[in-house]
Amino acid sequence: MIEFPKRHLVPYDGDFRITDFDADPPKGSGSEAKLEAELKESVARLDELQRRLFADQRHALLAVFQAMDAAGKDSTIRKVFSGVNPAGFRVHAFGRPSELELRHDFLQRVATRLPERGKIGVFNRCHYEEVLVVRVHPGALAAQNLPDAGGKGFWEGRFESIREFEQHLARNGTVVVKFWLNVSRKEQKKRLLERIEDPEKNWKFRLGDLDDRARWNDYLSAYEDLLRATSRAYAPWYAIPADDKDYMRAAVARVLVETLESIDPRYPAVDATQKRDLQEGKKRLESE
Ligand code: AMP
Ligand code: MG
């Protein structure tokens, strides 16, 4: 088996460059068939682990996905979670904030959509947009009408709010795991062109995505800052190579499996009273 998690974990000491992370999978990571088999195995493990998470009721799992357009967030979420029970699972996609959301602090809207203990929640984009798109497009920050917007220490203040928020979640039983799907500029071009050429993908194309593409280096530098500031033991980031979709999906699924295994959710132990009830129930049913 490939050592996905350790290999892609973003160091907690902030001592790296964004260019240290590859959009291509590591060499020798296996054929398409092998990666698909690995994904299948992880999907089955996630099903079993989710059952235990639900029965155990001590932890929630929050998986966060961030990426440039066309990196494959939606399809990765669809494939990786294809085996989980929808009753214990919810995905929320965060788009442009509403007028009302803009008048709240930036964590308010994410706080209302967190998974409760026993459940798995997925954020397709999230509060990290607040240090990405909002940082790259001054108009998005201006719309928030904040005191000292963009002033000295402003972005460091946001990172601090995010760290404290995630640490608070961890202390309260929510296991936070974050994925940056790292697609190259070249591969993005190919996938955006596919959206234009394939009629079934036309609906996904937004001309505005090209404006973000034009700001590629600004986005990368915003990613570098946020990864340095917010990859921590209580809420690690994983930088997943996204140019090969099979590798990306297998890697994400494996990180999730290992994350859930590390909290080792268990079916609650049966105590003496319950044991007696089980015996009593058996007796009654069998004597019907
Ligand atoms: P999509 O995920 O393709 O549906 O696009 C959602 C859009 O909403 C993206 O262009 C995001 O950058 C944008 N978006 C998400 N969160 C925020 C935010 N907090 N402020 C401004 N724009 C956002
Ligand atoms: Mg966009």
Side-chain angles (χ1 to χ4, degrees), residues 101-125:
E101 285 168 346
L102 282 172
R103 278 187 266 140
H104 278 284
D105 75 276
F106 74 93
L107 292 173
Q108 189 266 349
R109 68 173 183 163
V110 281
T112 62
R113 281 156 175 127
L114 291 166
E116 57 269 34
R117 278 183 281 277
K119 300 217 173 163
I120 297 176
V122 169
F123 285 171
N124 182 341
R125 304 185 191 273

Short mmCIF file of all heavy atoms in Angstrom, two decimals, residues 101-125:
data_model
loop_
_atom_site.label_atom_id
_atom_site.label_comp_id
_atom_site.label_asym_id
_atom_site.label_seq_id
_atom_site.Cartn_x
_atom_site.Cartn_y
_atom_site.Cartn_z
N GLU A 101 -25.27 37.31 5.37
CA GLU A 101 -24.02 36.67 5.80
C GLU A 101 -22.87 37.68 5.84
O GLU A 101 -22.01 37.64 6.72
CB GLU A 101 -23.67 35.50 4.86
CG GLU A 101 -24.56 34.28 5.12
CD GLU A 101 -24.46 33.21 4.04
OE1 GLU A 101 -23.91 33.49 2.94
OE2 GLU A 101 -24.98 32.12 4.28
N LEU A 102 -22.89 38.61 4.89
CA LEU A 102 -21.83 39.62 4.86
C LEU A 102 -21.85 40.52 6.09
O LEU A 102 -20.84 41.11 6.45
CB LEU A 102 -21.97 40.48 3.60
CG LEU A 102 -21.46 39.86 2.30
CD1 LEU A 102 -21.84 40.73 1.11
CD2 LEU A 102 -19.95 39.65 2.35
N ARG A 103 -23.02 40.62 6.71
CA ARG A 103 -23.11 41.48 7.90
C ARG A 103 -22.75 40.75 9.19
O ARG A 103 -22.71 41.35 10.25
CB ARG A 103 -24.51 42.11 7.97
CG ARG A 103 -24.59 43.33 7.05
CD ARG A 103 -25.89 44.08 7.20
NE ARG A 103 -26.83 43.61 6.21
CZ ARG A 103 -28.11 43.41 6.42
NH1 ARG A 103 -28.63 43.61 7.62
NH2 ARG A 103 -28.90 43.00 5.46
N HIS A 104 -22.51 39.42 9.08
CA HIS A 104 -22.04 38.66 10.24
C HIS A 104 -20.51 38.53 10.19
O HIS A 104 -19.90 38.77 9.16
CB HIS A 104 -22.63 37.25 10.21
CG HIS A 104 -24.02 37.16 10.76
ND1 HIS A 104 -24.27 37.18 12.11
CD2 HIS A 104 -25.21 37.03 10.14
CE1 HIS A 104 -25.57 37.07 12.30
NE2 HIS A 104 -26.17 36.99 11.13
N ASP A 105 -19.93 38.05 11.29
CA ASP A 105 -18.52 37.70 11.25
C ASP A 105 -18.35 36.53 10.29
O ASP A 105 -19.29 35.77 10.04
CB ASP A 105 -18.03 37.32 12.65
CG ASP A 105 -18.50 35.95 13.07
OD1 ASP A 105 -19.65 35.84 13.56
OD2 ASP A 105 -17.75 34.98 12.85
N PHE A 106 -17.14 36.35 9.76
CA PHE A 106 -16.97 35.39 8.65
C PHE A 106 -17.08 33.92 9.05
O PHE A 106 -17.18 33.04 8.19
CB PHE A 106 -15.66 35.65 7.89
CG PHE A 106 -14.40 35.23 8.61
CD1 PHE A 106 -13.86 33.96 8.38
CD2 PHE A 106 -13.74 36.08 9.48
CE1 PHE A 106 -12.68 33.56 9.01
CE2 PHE A 106 -12.57 35.69 10.11
CZ PHE A 106 -12.04 34.43 9.89
N LEU A 107 -17.08 33.65 10.35
CA LEU A 107 -17.21 32.24 10.76
C LEU A 107 -18.65 31.84 11.04
O LEU A 107 -18.97 30.66 11.17
CB LEU A 107 -16.35 31.99 12.02
CG LEU A 107 -14.84 32.07 11.77
CD1 LEU A 107 -14.07 31.98 13.09
CD2 LEU A 107 -14.38 30.94 10.83
N GLN A 108 -19.52 32.84 11.10
CA GLN A 108 -20.91 32.55 11.49
C GLN A 108 -21.57 31.53 10.57
O GLN A 108 -22.18 30.57 11.04
CB GLN A 108 -21.70 33.87 11.53
CG GLN A 108 -23.10 33.75 12.12
CD GLN A 108 -24.19 33.51 11.08
OE1 GLN A 108 -23.95 33.63 9.88
NE2 GLN A 108 -25.37 33.16 11.53
N ARG A 109 -21.44 31.72 9.28
CA ARG A 109 -22.19 30.81 8.39
C ARG A 109 -21.64 29.39 8.41
O ARG A 109 -22.39 28.43 8.21
CB ARG A 109 -22.31 31.36 6.97
CG ARG A 109 -21.01 31.40 6.19
CD ARG A 109 -21.31 31.80 4.75
NE ARG A 109 -20.11 31.81 3.94
CZ ARG A 109 -20.12 31.81 2.63
NH1 ARG A 109 -21.26 31.81 1.96
NH2 ARG A 109 -19.00 31.82 1.95
N VAL A 110 -20.34 29.25 8.63
CA VAL A 110 -19.82 27.88 8.72
C VAL A 110 -20.22 27.22 10.04
O VAL A 110 -20.52 26.03 10.09
CB VAL A 110 -18.28 27.76 8.50
CG1 VAL A 110 -17.92 27.83 7.06
CG2 VAL A 110 -17.51 28.76 9.30
N ALA A 111 -20.26 28.04 11.09
CA ALA A 111 -20.60 27.49 12.41
C ALA A 111 -21.99 26.87 12.43
O ALA A 111 -22.25 25.92 13.17
CB ALA A 111 -20.47 28.57 13.48
N THR A 112 -22.89 27.39 11.61
CA THR A 112 -24.27 26.86 11.63
C THR A 112 -24.40 25.57 10.82
O THR A 112 -25.47 24.99 10.80
CB THR A 112 -25.27 27.89 11.05
OG1 THR A 112 -24.92 28.14 9.69
CG2 THR A 112 -25.27 29.18 11.83
N ARG A 113 -23.33 25.17 10.14
CA ARG A 113 -23.44 23.97 9.29
C ARG A 113 -22.50 22.85 9.68
O ARG A 113 -22.20 21.96 8.89
CB ARG A 113 -23.22 24.37 7.84
CG ARG A 113 -24.49 24.98 7.30
CD ARG A 113 -24.23 25.89 6.15
NE ARG A 113 -25.49 26.34 5.61
CZ ARG A 113 -25.79 27.61 5.43
NH1 ARG A 113 -24.94 28.55 5.79
NH2 ARG A 113 -26.95 27.94 4.91
N LEU A 114 -22.04 22.91 10.90
CA LEU A 114 -21.10 21.89 11.37
C LEU A 114 -21.82 20.57 11.64
O LEU A 114 -23.00 20.57 12.03
CB LEU A 114 -20.43 22.37 12.66
CG LEU A 114 -19.47 23.56 12.48
CD1 LEU A 114 -19.13 24.16 13.83
CD2 LEU A 114 -18.21 23.12 11.75
N PRO A 115 -21.13 19.46 11.46
CA PRO A 115 -21.75 18.16 11.78
C PRO A 115 -21.84 17.98 13.29
O PRO A 115 -20.95 18.41 14.02
CB PRO A 115 -20.77 17.15 11.18
CG PRO A 115 -19.45 17.85 11.17
CD PRO A 115 -19.75 19.32 10.96
N GLU A 116 -22.92 17.37 13.75
CA GLU A 116 -23.03 17.05 15.17
C GLU A 116 -22.29 15.74 15.46
O GLU A 116 -22.00 14.99 14.54
CB GLU A 116 -24.50 16.97 15.61
CG GLU A 116 -25.35 15.98 14.86
CD GLU A 116 -26.04 16.57 13.64
OE1 GLU A 116 -25.45 17.46 12.98
OE2 GLU A 116 -27.16 16.12 13.32
N ARG A 117 -22.03 15.47 16.74
CA ARG A 117 -21.30 14.25 17.09
C ARG A 117 -22.02 13.03 16.52
O ARG A 117 -23.24 12.95 16.55
CB ARG A 117 -21.13 14.14 18.60
CG ARG A 117 -19.95 14.95 19.11
CD ARG A 117 -19.75 14.76 20.62
NE ARG A 117 -20.70 15.58 21.36
CZ ARG A 117 -20.52 16.87 21.64
NH1 ARG A 117 -19.42 17.49 21.26
NH2 ARG A 117 -21.43 17.54 22.30
N GLY A 118 -21.23 12.12 15.97
CA GLY A 118 -21.79 10.92 15.35
C GLY A 118 -21.87 11.05 13.83
O GLY A 118 -22.08 10.07 13.14
N LYS A 119 -21.72 12.29 13.32
CA LYS A 119 -21.92 12.50 11.88
C LYS A 119 -20.66 12.96 11.14
O LYS A 119 -19.71 13.43 11.76
CB LYS A 119 -23.03 13.53 11.67
CG LYS A 119 -24.33 13.04 12.30
CD LYS A 119 -25.53 13.43 11.51
CE LYS A 119 -26.76 12.77 12.09
NZ LYS A 119 -27.99 13.37 11.65
N ILE A 120 -20.74 12.83 9.83
CA ILE A 120 -19.66 13.32 8.96
C ILE A 120 -20.18 14.52 8.18
O ILE A 120 -21.25 14.46 7.57
CB ILE A 120 -19.23 12.22 7.96
CG1 ILE A 120 -18.65 11.00 8.70
CG2 ILE A 120 -18.21 12.77 6.96
CD1 ILE A 120 -18.28 9.84 7.77
N GLY A 121 -19.44 15.61 8.24
CA GLY A 121 -19.78 16.80 7.46
C GLY A 121 -18.67 17.11 6.47
O GLY A 121 -17.49 16.94 6.79
N VAL A 122 -19.07 17.55 5.29
CA VAL A 122 -18.10 17.95 4.27
C VAL A 122 -18.37 19.39 3.89
O VAL A 122 -19.52 19.76 3.63
CB VAL A 122 -18.19 17.03 3.03
CG1 VAL A 122 -17.38 17.61 1.88
CG2 VAL A 122 -17.73 15.63 3.35
N PHE A 123 -17.32 20.19 3.87
CA PHE A 123 -17.43 21.56 3.35
C PHE A 123 -16.72 21.63 2.01
O PHE A 123 -15.51 21.42 1.92
CB PHE A 123 -16.78 22.56 4.31
CG PHE A 123 -17.58 22.85 5.57
CD1 PHE A 123 -17.01 23.60 6.60
CD2 PHE A 123 -18.88 22.40 5.72
CE1 PHE A 123 -17.73 23.88 7.76
CE2 PHE A 123 -19.62 22.69 6.88
CZ PHE A 123 -19.03 23.43 7.90
N ASN A 124 -17.50 21.93 0.97
CA ASN A 124 -16.96 22.16 -0.36
C ASN A 124 -16.75 23.68 -0.46
O ASN A 124 -17.70 24.43 -0.62
CB ASN A 124 -18.00 21.66 -1.37
CG ASN A 124 -17.55 21.80 -2.80
OD1 ASN A 124 -16.63 22.58 -3.11
ND2 ASN A 124 -18.19 21.08 -3.70
N ARG A 125 -15.51 24.12 -0.28
CA ARG A 125 -15.15 25.50 0.06
C ARG A 125 -15.67 25.78 1.46
O ARG A 125 -16.55 25.09 1.96
CB ARG A 125 -15.72 26.54 -0.90
CG ARG A 125 -15.35 26.32 -2.36
CD ARG A 125 -15.87 27.49 -3.19
NE ARG A 125 -15.79 27.25 -4.61
CZ ARG A 125 -14.72 27.50 -5.35
NH1 ARG A 125 -13.63 27.99 -4.79
NH2 ARG A 125 -14.73 27.27 -6.64
#
